[in-house]
Amino acid sequence: MMTLYSGTTCPYSQRCRIVLFEKGMDFQVIDVDMTNKPEDLAVINPYNRVPVLVERDLVLYEANIINEYIDERFPHPQLMPADPVMRARARLFLHNFEDQLFDHIADIESDNAKVADNARAIVRDNLTQIAPIFNKQEYMLGDEFSMLDVAIAPLLWRLGHYGIELPKQAAPLLKYAERIFSRPAYIEAMTPSEKAMRK
């Protein structure tokens, strides 16, 4: 059985939980309190961070690597495109999400108000730029739910929590977010702490 060490409020851990629930497989989630991490976390992950996936002798960290492994190991429903060209494009999207969106989360959570406000503005503007694609399609890659939707969902869930207000032209993105949030696997994958982020 797979075991996922997962932070209760960690957006990267939430990605992995979503994939596990989408696959409908047997797994165990160990909730990690980020302010009081268990000692064995530092033993299995040299960076002492979550998420960490353990399966027999295999130990993986980094959410995108964990999720691709799960997707290949349990291919139904398939979340990465089967076509190599589309899969490469999807990986590029995932890389850009990290660079343009998720890398700014640490700054948003910073005690420095100027740094936090600047990071919020960058994330807001980058999200607003991708909003128009949802006028034409249901999900990031078209009509099928994919790993890209999994990757961005935790950020969209936390917009209010992070103090990010999107402009009116981002309305298609917010409608898209509600489609993801209503998926049964998304709802099941949430921790009580995550649910409390949106009133």
Side-chain angles (χ1 to χ4, degrees):
M1 184 190 282
M2 288 183 173
T3 299
L4 180 73
Y5 288 79
S6 163
T8 53
T9 58
C10 165
Y12 302 99
S13 297
Q14 188 181 6
R15 283 182 185 174
C16 298
R17 283 184 264 116
I18 293 167
V19 169
L20 288 167
F21 278 99
E22 283 284 346
K23 299 287 183 180
M25 42 183 275
D26 284 337
F27 58 89
Q28 176 187 14
V29 174
I30 295 175
D31 289 327
V32 175
D33 177 356
M34 300 310 292
T35 56
N36 186 23
K37 296 175 187 173
E39 286 177 19
D40 59 342
L41 185 63
V43 175
I44 57 175
N45 179 355
Y47 298 103
N48 197 23
R49 289 194 309 243
V50 289
V52 180
L53 185 79
V54 179
E55 187 184 29
R56 298 191 191 90
D57 296 335
L58 177 69
V59 177
L60 293 176
Y61 37 91
E62 295 303 322
N64 289 339
I65 294 169
I66 291 170
N67 282 348
E68 274 213 54
Y69 170 73
I70 296 168
D71 196 46
E72 288 179 7
R73 184 105 159 64
F74 300 92
H76 302 291
Q78 192 166 26
L79 295 174
M80 282 296 276
D83 172 61
V85 172
M86 286 300 291
R87 196 160 59 244
R89 282 192 184 138
R91 287 190 180 118
L92 196 55
F93 267 117
L94 290 169
H95 171 76
N96 289 339
F97 285 168
E98 301 311 298
D99 190 43
Q100 296 167 13
L101 299 170
F102 283 84
D103 284 355
H104 299 286
I105 288 175
D107 286 344
I108 288 171
E109 293 175 337
S110 153
D111 292 333
N112 183 323
K114 192 174 178 185
V115 167
D117 285 343
N118 185 48
R120 281 189 196 96
I122 292 168
V123 171
R124 180 197 65 218
D125 293 348
N126 287 334
L127 285 174
T128 303
Q129 279 186 330
I130 63 173
I133 70 170
F134 300 108
N135 285 319
K136 300 185 180 102
Q137 57 195 50
E138 290 279 297
Y139 296 107
M140 281 281 174
L141 287 179
D143 296 329
E144 296 295 320
F145 182 79
S146 76
M147 200 67 83
L148 300 190
D149 306 300
V150 170
I152 203 167
L155 174 59
L156 297 177
W157 181 260
R158 289 163 172 75
L159 288 177
H161 177 73
Y162 290 148
I164 297 168
E165 283 189 42
L166 295 181
K168 281 184 185 155
Q169 60 262 43
L173 178 72
L174 295 174
K175 281 184 186 167
Y176 154 76
E178 293 301 328
R179 280 196 291 280
I180 296 177
F181 301 158
S182 65
R183 292 178 72 84
Y186 184 89
I187 296 163
E188 283 183 88
M190 269 194 294
T191 64
S193 302
E194 284 165 345
K195 286 177 182 169
M197 287 176 173
R198 282 168 72 102
K199 299 291 182 237

